[in-house]
Amino acid sequence: MDAADENGCTALYRAAQHGDTSILQQLLDAGAAVDAADQQGCTALHQSAQYGDNLILQQLLDAGAAVDASDADGRTALHRAAQHGDTVIVQQLLAAGAAVDASDADGRTAMHEAAYMGHTAVVQQLLAAHAAMGAADKWCQATLHLAADRQHTAAMGLLLAAGAGVDADDADGRTALHEAAHQGHTSVVQQLLAADAAVDATDTYGCTALHKAADQGHTAVVQQLLAAHAAMGAADKWCQTTLHLAAARQHTAVMRVLLAADAAVDATDTHGCTALHKAAEKGHTSVVQQLLAAQAAVDAADKWGRTALHLAAKRQHTAVMRLLLDAGAAVDATDAGGDTALYCAVRMGRTAVVQQLLAAHASMEAVDASGSTALRLAVRRGHTAVLQQLLAAGASVNAADTFGCTVLHMAAEEGHTAVVQQLLAAHASVDAADRF
């Protein structure tokens, strides 16, 4: 009678699954195991709860089915009924003494399931049964987090009215306000702020709700939080402000709101980067325009001495470079290694960038920390196209380093045949001798 098929299902399980009350009763009367489980640990009670068959469910309960039997994931029949928003089944299970706060393998209770799915009526039932609102799952998320994440404002209203902790945080230190701001749920944000949520609460990474909203480009939420006096200058663990995040993600509308609210335009992160550095490196032309219009320091240097022009040149963002140069960027500014933007461009063989910098009168005679010029670097790297640009711009073909070596010496030593030909065509001295 209790023999199972290939899926571990008994005859009683199948009868319940198909809603056959007559056969089910015959099997029960004959002594069939009421709590026999399939390969996933599901009993007939789980099945009837999931599919909303209240008649079968009651038959099973009357026959002594274990109301809190859990499947392989630790889920009870109450979990399944709550997930599906079935108030009738929930009431039957509660009346049969189901453990209202039983948790599954992920630490989630029936209340978590109902809140996550936005089943308001079930939330009410569970609250009336004294379900624990503050119970946290394995990620330390309480029911309010889940409802906020899914924008279930009605469920949130019930939870808040019942005293749910508005500032409870999860394993990453995120509150419900963080969740709502990250998702851009304006109605939820308003609800939480009205419930006195801590507007500047920080997560494990030092991020506030304003950071989350700015990073995701949720302009309306940014406005809500600023109206609630959120700290615009708050920095995360990398010392990034909301302006840094918005600039890096090219959220121009958010940038406009932050700048209008007097965000510190030249604030620096852990690496000494300003928002202008972030935008220039990413090639975000519109953001660069906004920052320059807000009087961002065009030559601000990061911890490695790099300006926005260095970063734009390395990434070949010529449109950004034009904006920076037009704003007065120092074309020959050097980083900590003595590199100018031109030197960076030559190293990477960026011909378009080299042309732009030469047109802006970048110095070809500037030397890096090793005493090398852009011409010497082009020769060493074998960048023939860049070399031609530099020669055409008047770079000194016979200039020697401290050891008397010319670029022709270098090209010959490196075996760059094409470069040697170029230099000879530019009248490089074939008889120049070094000091050795």
Side-chain angles (χ1 to χ4, degrees):
M1 186 186 308
D2 292 327
D5 62 17
E6 67 275 11
N7 296 311
C9 302
T10 64
L12 182 141
Y13 185 100
R14 291 300 188 191
Q17 188 178 46
H18 291 95
D20 194 324
T21 57
S22 177
I23 292 179
L24 177 62
Q25 193 59 52
Q26 290 179 55
L27 290 168
L28 288 171
D29 290 342
V34 71
D35 291 324
D38 66 11
Q39 291 178 345
Q40 283 73 48
C42 297
T43 66
L45 193 70
H46 283 100
Q47 286 293 310
S48 58
Q50 180 165 337
Y51 294 106
D53 195 329
N54 63 303
L55 296 178
I56 293 289
L57 184 88
Q58 195 58 53
Q59 265 187 290
L60 294 168
L61 289 173
D62 291 343
V67 71
D68 292 324
S70 57
D71 62 17
D73 294 319
R75 292 163 59 86
T76 66
L78 187 60
H79 280 97
R80 296 194 177 204
Q83 181 183 26
H84 290 278
D86 195 323
T87 55
V88 174
I89 300 292
V90 167
Q91 191 56 46
Q92 280 179 281
L93 292 169
L94 290 174
V100 70
D101 291 325
S103 58
D104 64 13
D106 291 326
R108 292 197 168 180
T109 65
M111 181 67 94
H112 282 100
E113 298 291 351
Y116 183 72
M117 299 304 295
H119 297 315
T120 312
V122 174
V123 170
Q124 287 177 309
Q125 285 178 296
L126 296 171
L127 286 173
H130 309 294
M133 278 183 303
D137 62 16
K138 67 183 290 185
W139 300 279
C140 296
Q141 291 183 309
T143 51
L144 194 65
H145 282 93
L146 302 178
D149 182 59
R150 296 294 295 272
Q151 203 173 5
H152 296 315
T153 53
M156 286 185 61
L158 290 173
L159 294 169
L160 289 169
V166 69
D167 293 322
D169 56 3
D170 64 13
D172 291 321
R174 289 159 56 109
T175 66
L177 188 60
H178 281 99
E179 297 285 353
H182 179 78
Q183 298 293 344
H185 297 328
T186 54
S187 57
V188 176
V189 169
Q190 193 57 45
Q191 195 172 16
L192 292 168
L193 291 174
D196 295 324
V199 70
D200 291 324
T202 56
D203 65 13
T204 306
Y205 307 101
C207 295
T208 64
L210 189 59
H211 281 99
K212 297 294 184 184
D215 185 57
Q216 294 299 309
H218 298 314
T219 311
V221 174
V222 168
Q223 291 173 314
Q224 284 179 294
L225 295 169
L226 289 177
H229 309 294
M232 195 166 39
D236 63 17
K237 68 181 292 185
W238 299 280
C239 297
Q240 295 180 116
T241 65
T242 51
L243 197 66
H244 282 101
L245 300 178
R249 297 290 293 273
Q250 202 174 9
H251 297 315
T252 53
V254 171
M255 294 276 299
R256 193 174 303 113
V257 171
L258 294 172
L259 291 170
D262 294 325
V265 71
D266 292 324
T268 57
D269 66 11
T270 304
H271 301 301
C273 293
T274 64
L276 187 61
H277 282 98
K278 302 276 189 184
E281 186 171 26
K282 296 282 189 180
H284 297 329
T285 311
S286 55
V287 175
V288 170
Q289 287 176 311
Q290 284 181 296
L291 291 167
L292 292 174
Q295 307 301 312
V298 70
D299 290 324
D302 65 15
K303 66 184 293 186
W304 296 283
R306 302 175 304 179
T307 65
L309 188 64
H310 281 98
L311 299 179
K314 284 183 177 181
R315 298 289 185 177
Q316 207 168 211
H317 298 314
T318 54
V320 169
M321 288 176 61
R322 173 51 50 207
L323 290 172
L324 295 170
L325 291 168
D326 288 347
V331 70
D332 292 324
T334 57
D335 64 16
D339 291 358
T340 63
L342 179 62
Y343 205 89
C344 294
V346 169
R347 179 185 291 113
M348 303 180 78
R350 309 288 201 198
T351 54
V353 175
V354 169
Q355 191 59 43
Q356 193 172 12
L357 291 168
L358 290 175
H361 309 295
S363 172
M364 288 183 290
E365 305 308 319
V367 296
D368 68 1
S370 66
S372 182
T373 63
L375 186 69
R376 300 184 78 81
L377 180 60
V379 168
R380 186 182 307 119
R381 293 294 178 102
H383 293 320
T384 55
V386 171
L387 176 59
Q388 191 58 45
Q389 288 177 298
L390 295 172
L391 292 173
S396 178
V397 71
N398 289 314
D401 63 15
T402 53
F403 301 105
C405 291
T406 66
V407 287
L408 186 59
H409 283 99
M410 291 178 59
E413 185 176 12
E414 296 288 342
H416 294 321
T417 308
V419 174
V420 168
Q421 291 174 323
Q422 278 183 289
L423 294 172
L424 291 175
H427 308 296
S429 175
V430 71
D431 296 321
D434 63 20
R435 294 183 181 178
F436 304 100

